[in-house]
Amino acid sequence: MIDVIDNKYFYLHNGAVAYLFGLLPNQQLGHLYYGEDLGELSADDLAYLTLHKNKASGTVKYSKKIKNFTLADHMQEYPTYGTSDFREGAISLEANDTYLYPDFKYDHFKITTGKSRKITVAASYGNDSENLTIYLKDTERQLELELSYSIFEESTAIVRKAKIVNYSQFEVEIKNLQSSVLDLPTANYNFLQLSGAWTKERHIITRPLTQGITKIESLRGASSHQENPFIALVDKNVTNDTGNIYASNLIYSGNFISQVEVDEWGQSRLMTGINPATFKWKLAPNQDFSTPEAVLFYTNDGFNGLMAQTHDFVTKHIIDQKWQKRDRPIVINNWEATYFDFNEEKLLKLATQAKQLGIECFVLDDGWFGKRDSDNSSLGNWTVDRKKFPQGLDHFSAQVHKLGMKFGLWFEPEMVSPDTELYNMHPDWIVRHPYNRFSVGRSQYVLDFSNPEVVDNIYRQMEKVIENAQVDYIKWDMNRNITEAYSPYLHSLNHPQGEFFHRYIQGVYKLYAKLLTRFPDLLIEGCASGGGRFDLGILFYSPQIWPSDDSDAAERLDIMSGTLLAYPLSTFSNHVSAVPNDQVKRITSLKFRQNVACFGPLGYELDLNKLSTEEKNQIKNWLRWYKENRKLLVNGTFDQLLKFDPSQNTYAWSVSNSNKQIVGFYRKLARPNETLDQYLPLKHLNDQQKYQINSDQMVSGRVLKKFGLREPYQFNASNPDTAQISGDFQSYLYQIKTIGRKI
């Protein structure tokens, strides 16, 4: 999978993809190719691929010693700004307030196989990986740069990271160190991002690349509702199943930047990593610093090809494998049923009703601790409210377990309220600038998770509750972005405050790791005021994430369509909530809400006791069907069947395995005679196989593949007797099964 040719060219390939780079005349690394596998390469092939004529005639040359050579227009693996290349670089260093222009030249390489899963570091893993580390040295400044690459069997993903080691006797400040760079020879792409806001996360936005920098970023201390680290460069004529796409993502949950710079010759440079705007790292002699890993993806099979790659990678190489083998429990969350107004009796009544309908896990949300009767109290005081639970939380948990259900519990570990003992005893544990004026959000403050003592304190509090109450499931929330970032802890150590944001997110990962080491079977659902931290770093620890505080099914169609470009169905936590919906006040049918929420891990968030007998029976029957199809709905191969469109009104997607497909069809608003006998294109069919559609129609795979699946008949004035769907917010599910032997 990794060939080193003439100790000069490095060729990563696996049949699905190839990644090729080599030494430039100045002994730095030049990028040559990323795309479909090229097979065996000859010396003539390499000579052809490395042929380069300077476009930058007349500009600054790299060195007097090397004639006719400049970095200005070269594709590179890890560029430095200012060394005849004036595009933004991947690395920026200072020493004694002086900019350094490091000259990292190739020294040697190392190849290893396999990457173990180390819970202390959010990173990719897999026994099927081959890993290449290139060591480059700047001998004048006594610095070493290590560039790491990993390739996996049958995947187009290339995982990259950078590490710098200071072998000098002087302190160096890192101002910028990106995780990954991908130089491409053209800019004929649209830049795709997943953007939005609270309650409308990860909507698909595209814009054409043009000369200059196109970027997204977060400066909030989290990957954010507004942007997501995932970006893609897509062919301008891309479809669901055709067209080239290059994409990148970051295994990181803090401040990031993902950008593409187009130069004057139309070359594109994609970079992603820690956001340098809020970053400064003191690198003392004999110390090192490693970036988080970034992942590159390639496909020439359009959006469905991209999702096949991203979903497979996240499933196999990010999420803990044990969650592939275990059914995700169907949950009832009490939040929208009770908010803060509950006691043990009220909750037990809800749990009993949930069990009768077939729900498997009761999740107790905010309000169980301290004096938490509103959202302005008690965070950081993780002791049980005895008014609500006079016999203790362990007593209530035992009652839930006695019903045959799992027990889940809400925490917001990173926050503290000003009415707590923790806040008053440890003012130096609060993220707050020493100025007189500072910002307060949601009547709460952020704890300084860059301080290991803070992390240990919160861990000890959580450990006690989890052990005593035998907690099976945690909903981990984070409802406030970081403002006026300042760490008294870092100040006491004489570390630059620019280290804070990175050390903070490392502290978050440390708490995750401590909890999962102590409770390895604990299922943690990530949440950050909804989808404010939906990223690969959190997914390394939490196999599923609450995608948005907006549980409206119509809005979730857009949230899911965007999120699914980068993250598989198994990572969603989809809840059926009450109507009118609490966020947008929209009224949709129970059928529509369940037909949307069933794609992925399923939950409910409403007062079951207020439902009619008919609605309860509908849920009971639905849950029976969902359990029969859960493995397919959570872990099946996902495909979009209709074109992405910002003004989309109709949606169709499918999940499939070797012998079954489930297709979901959705229309937001009814329009008269919008379609008539239209068809949905299907994938993963066998020409020689016969298929049954919804237990009544039978058709050959050959015909079904050729013509597709007929859209459900829509109501209009002339067909009330034959309509399968009617009104606004329509939904229809198809089940397509193989029948008997092949034709």
Side-chain angles (χ1 to χ4, degrees), residues 365-637:
D365 211 282
D366 194 357
W368 58 268
F369 55 94
K371 299 175 182 178
R372 184 78 164 177
D373 295 320
S374 69
D375 61 8
N376 60 8
S377 171
S378 301
L379 291 170
N381 174 15
W382 300 108
T383 58
V384 178
D385 183 348
R386 288 284 176 166
K387 285 185 178 180
K388 295 175 180 176
F389 299 96
Q391 299 180 76
L393 191 62
D394 54 341
H395 179 268
F396 174 65
S397 173
Q399 298 296 101
V400 172
H401 284 131
K402 190 175 180 180
L403 288 172
M405 302 177 74
K406 293 183 181 296
F407 177 60
L409 196 59
W410 181 95
F411 285 93
E412 193 171 1
E414 301 157 63
M415 304 293 160
V416 64
S417 299
D419 65 348
T420 58
E421 182 181 359
L422 183 68
Y423 178 92
N424 291 303
M425 287 186 63
H426 297 284
D428 56 323
W429 286 8
I430 313 303
V431 178
R432 187 170 64 202
H433 205 283
Y435 294 159
N436 290 330
R437 187 208 59 79
F438 49 84
S439 302
V440 182
R442 287 175 51 93
S443 301
Q444 64 192 58
Y445 298 87
V446 183
L447 286 169
D448 184 2
F449 266 43
S450 73
N451 184 342
E453 192 176 357
V454 176
V455 175
D456 288 343
N457 178 282
I458 298 301
Y459 166 71
R460 288 193 298 271
Q461 290 193 59
M462 293 179 70
E463 179 194 32
K464 184 177 180 180
V465 174
I466 294 167
E467 184 172 28
N468 288 346
Q470 296 294 294
V471 176
D472 306 293
Y473 185 113
I474 281 179
K475 181 178 178 181
W476 179 317
D477 212 342
M478 192 278 286
N479 283 300
R480 186 198 190 283
N481 291 133
I482 296 172
T483 55
E484 293 127 349
Y486 183 88
S487 166
Y489 169 74
L490 292 178
H491 177 74
S492 71
L493 298 178
N494 198 30
H495 281 266
Q497 292 296 321
E499 294 184 3
F500 167 74
F501 279 110
H502 183 64
R503 289 189 183 275
Y504 176 89
I505 206 63
Q506 296 301 310
V508 172
Y509 294 157
K510 182 179 179 182
L511 180 56
Y512 264 111
K514 289 168 75 72
L515 289 170
L516 291 172
T517 300
R518 176 67 178 84
F519 306 103
D521 293 323
L522 187 66
L523 195 162
I524 303 179
E525 175 189 296
C527 178
S529 199
R533 236 171 21 192
F534 203 118
D535 56 65
L536 296 180
I538 296 300
L539 285 172
F540 182 82
Y541 299 101
S542 294
Q544 63 193 60
I545 297 174
W546 182 233
S548 177
D549 276 347
D550 191 342
S551 57
D552 170 59
E555 174 60 26
R556 282 292 181 98
L557 291 171
D558 293 306
I559 293 172
M560 290 180 72
S561 292
T563 309
L564 280 161
L565 285 178
Y567 308 98
L569 277 173
S570 66
T571 64
F572 287 75
S573 186
N574 295 327
H575 287 190
V576 177
S577 59
V579 292
N581 175 263
D582 195 53
Q583 292 79 45
V584 297
K585 307 306 177 187
R586 183 178 285 127
I587 297 175
T588 57
S589 69
L590 180 57
K591 176 187 176 184
F592 182 76
R593 285 173 276 152
Q594 292 191 134
N595 281 355
V596 173
C598 72
F599 283 80
L602 177 63
Y604 288 79
E605 192 156 338
L606 70 172
D607 192 342
L608 299 171
N609 296 296
K610 292 181 179 179
L611 300 180
S612 67
T613 300
E614 181 183 353
E615 288 173 319
K616 291 177 183 177
N617 287 334
Q618 190 176 343
I619 291 175
K620 185 182 293 187
N621 292 332
W622 178 259
L623 291 182
R624 190 178 300 115
W625 173 85
Y626 178 82
K627 290 174 184 178
E628 291 173 358
N629 295 282
R630 173 163 35 192
K631 285 184 170 57
L632 173 59
L633 289 163
V634 174
N635 296 313
T637 298

Side-chain angles (χ1 to χ4, degrees), residues 36 179 201 205 225 240 364 415 427 595 615 664 723:
E36 294 180 72
S179 296
E201 295 89 343
I205 297 175
H225 303 271
N240 278 346
L364 173 55
M415 304 293 160
N595 281 355
E615 288 173 319

